[in-house]
Amino acid sequence: MALIVVALNLRPAIVAMSPLLDEVRSATGLTSTAAGLLTTLPVLCFGLFAPVAPRLARKAGMEASPLVVLVVLLAGVGLRLAGSVTALFAGTFLVGVAIAMGNVLLPGIIKRDFPHKAGLMTGLYSMALFGGAALAAGLTVPVQHAASLGWRPALALWGVLAVIAVLCWAPQLSTEHRDMAPSHPVRAVRGLWREPLAWYVALFMGFQSLNYYTATAWLPAIFTAHGMSAGQAGWMLSLSSILGIVSSLAGPVLAGRTRSQGWLAVVAAVLCCAGLAGMMAAPVTGAWVWMVLLGLGQGVAISVSLALIVLRAPDARHAAQLSSMAQCVGYLLAALGPLVLGAVHDATHDWTTALTVLAALLVPQTLFGVLAGRDRYVGRHERQAAAQGPVRHTDAEVEWASIGADADGTR
């Protein structure tokens, strides 16, 4: 339960910005492109700072590391209360760094503590991500209006959820878990960055994340541009996240029962495309329908992308390396989405064109999902090199390999 509460904190501090984005732009004078950068910055941090998580786990230990993540998250949320644009961006940067480390650490803890229930726990973890996003999207503006708050305090309110998570996780410090780092030398994975299959998994992760974070950043602004109130626009985004909770639990279950998962990538893309097409045709009139379709599609896509990391890896060692690669490459690609869509809107002053671009990006998402969904394992280059004898590995390679170790230090 404590792990799920921590996972609930990995989206609200980002998503809460979306329904307030128009107010933030008006108060600060930010352009659409600059506002897109504000929503892109955390996702960029996801990719850049994912490699920090294994080092944190080794230095602080797997039980203390989530507390460090939550403290950094609280620091970022608090910094955004300051009255300058610089502080707003700096606080958002810290939020992104914290969540980047949490994104890597929590799946590792699931591998260690729930080795025989990894599929179920991955589904619950995905549900927690969508649940936190739904809470932030739906409650930020209503709570702001009910309490007569400015946009800065409304953003800071989500620090309360982080405090609750600290209280829930603190007892874990007294548990007797062995650290994830093994006590013997670790053989690191070789050649993963040269394998097409690993790139397919990483790029599917990237394009589905790009779709999700771009839609999350701009959909409320699109709704309000067509006459919807900010509060109702936030609830539309919340509805999308709620439906994502349902499909994100079903995705890993279905993925684990079939030899190939490419068909799930196709289903996800069709649902998302239908939702985006509806947004272009009748954004307000059919808003509920479009958000249901988009939420279901996004939930399937994100949960399948997480499941593919496990399914395409022959063991925990490869899963850890593939996870780090997929999150690094994937989130760096996803970070471009909100910024590009904001720039397209600035250039055309038309949300239909921007949504068309977003829908077109579902084509490579589907392609890489189908290629990543084929029933095979990564590790081909390592098997080819096995006959060449032992090699020397860097500390960084050993850290990445050790993050996937089981509780007893074996593979």
Side-chain angles (χ1 to χ4, degrees):
M1 177 60 71
L3 185 145
I4 300 303
V5 176
V6 175
L8 280 171
N9 282 272
L10 298 185
R11 293 299 179 267
I14 300 172
V15 175
M17 181 68 72
S18 297
L20 298 172
L21 198 56
D22 280 343
E23 188 176 349
V24 173
R25 289 170 59 194
S26 298
T28 60
L30 293 175
T31 64
S32 295
T33 303
L37 178 59
L38 188 62
T39 56
T40 297
L41 184 58
V43 186
L44 184 62
C45 289
F46 291 177
L48 292 176
F49 288 91
V52 176
R55 187 175 296 276
L56 173 64
R58 291 172 64 87
K59 297 294 184 181
M62 286 304 296
E63 271 59 56
S65 294
L67 282 182
V68 176
V69 167
L70 292 169
V71 169
V72 175
L73 179 64
L74 281 168
V77 170
L79 187 56
R80 293 198 295 198
L81 278 170
S84 69
V85 173
T86 300
L88 175 63
F89 275 90
T92 301
F93 171 78
L94 287 180
V95 165
V97 171
I99 296 176
M101 293 187 290
N103 284 339
V104 176
L105 289 171
L106 294 193
I109 294 174
I110 289 173
K111 273 187 169 293
R112 186 194 65 180
D113 293 350
F114 305 96
H116 303 299
K117 298 180 179 179
L120 174 61
M121 290 304 299
T122 299
L124 292 175
Y125 171 69
S126 300
M127 287 179 65
L129 296 181
F130 273 96
L135 289 172
L139 296 180
T140 300
V141 172
V143 170
Q144 178 196 22
H145 291 167
S148 300
L149 298 174
W151 62 267
R152 291 182 188 274
L155 283 176
L157 279 176
W158 292 103
V160 175
L161 185 60
V163 172
I164 294 173
V166 169
L167 296 177
C168 290
W169 189 263
Q172 299 296 318
L173 295 178
S174 62
T175 60
E176 296 182 355
H177 285 304
R178 183 176 297 182
D179 223 358
M180 292 180 67
S183 58
H184 55 77
V186 179
R187 185 167 56 89
V189 173
R190 293 184 285 172
L192 198 63
W193 287 81
R194 300 194 303 273
E195 292 205 27
L197 180 57
W199 277 100
Y200 299 152
V201 173
L203 290 171
F204 178 64
M205 166 72 80
F207 277 103
Q208 69 81 22
S209 297
L210 184 152
N211 182 283
Y212 172 76
Y213 286 106
T214 305
T216 298
W218 288 114
L219 282 181
I222 295 172
F223 281 129
T224 56
H226 287 86
M228 189 180 287
S229 68
Q232 189 178 359
W235 278 114
M236 289 298 101
L237 186 60
S238 180
L239 174 65
S240 174
S241 296
I242 290 171
L243 269 298
I245 293 173
V246 177
S247 57
S248 66
L249 180 60
V253 175
L254 293 173
R257 293 180 177 179
T258 57
R259 292 178 61 85
S260 174
Q261 294 74 39
W263 67 276
L264 286 169
V266 174
V267 169
V270 169
L271 289 169
C272 289
C273 188
L276 293 174
M279 284 288 296
M280 289 184 268
V284 176
T285 305
W288 291 86
V289 178
W290 316 142
M291 291 301 96
V292 168
L293 293 171
L294 193 62
L296 289 173
Q298 289 175 339
V300 171
I302 190 171
S303 60
V304 170
S305 70
L306 292 171
L308 285 174
I309 293 173
V310 177
L311 293 172
R312 297 289 80 85
D315 51 41
R317 185 169 59 94
H318 283 81
Q321 293 286 91
L322 184 58
S323 177
S324 68
M325 176 181 173
Q327 294 200 44
C328 182
V329 172
Y331 284 126
L332 287 177
L333 176 61
L336 298 175
L339 186 62
V340 169
L341 211 70
V344 170
H345 178 257
D346 280 346
T348 63
H349 304 287
D350 177 26
W351 283 117
T352 299
T353 303
L355 287 172
T356 301
V357 171
L358 190 59
L361 291 173
L362 290 171
V363 175
Q365 174 182 316
T366 306
L367 173 62
F368 290 121
V370 170
L371 292 172
R374 293 180 295 178
D375 185 23
R376 58 189 61 185
Y377 290 134
V378 298
R380 177 172 58 87
H381 284 84
E382 185 183 37
R383 291 191 294 272
Q384 291 175 346
Q388 299 177 6
V391 298
R392 298 177 62 87
H393 301 297
T394 65
D395 290 343
E397 289 177 319
V398 172
E399 282 180 353
W400 273 121
S402 67
I403 196 71
D406 293 331
D408 62 355
T410 62
R411 295 294 174 182

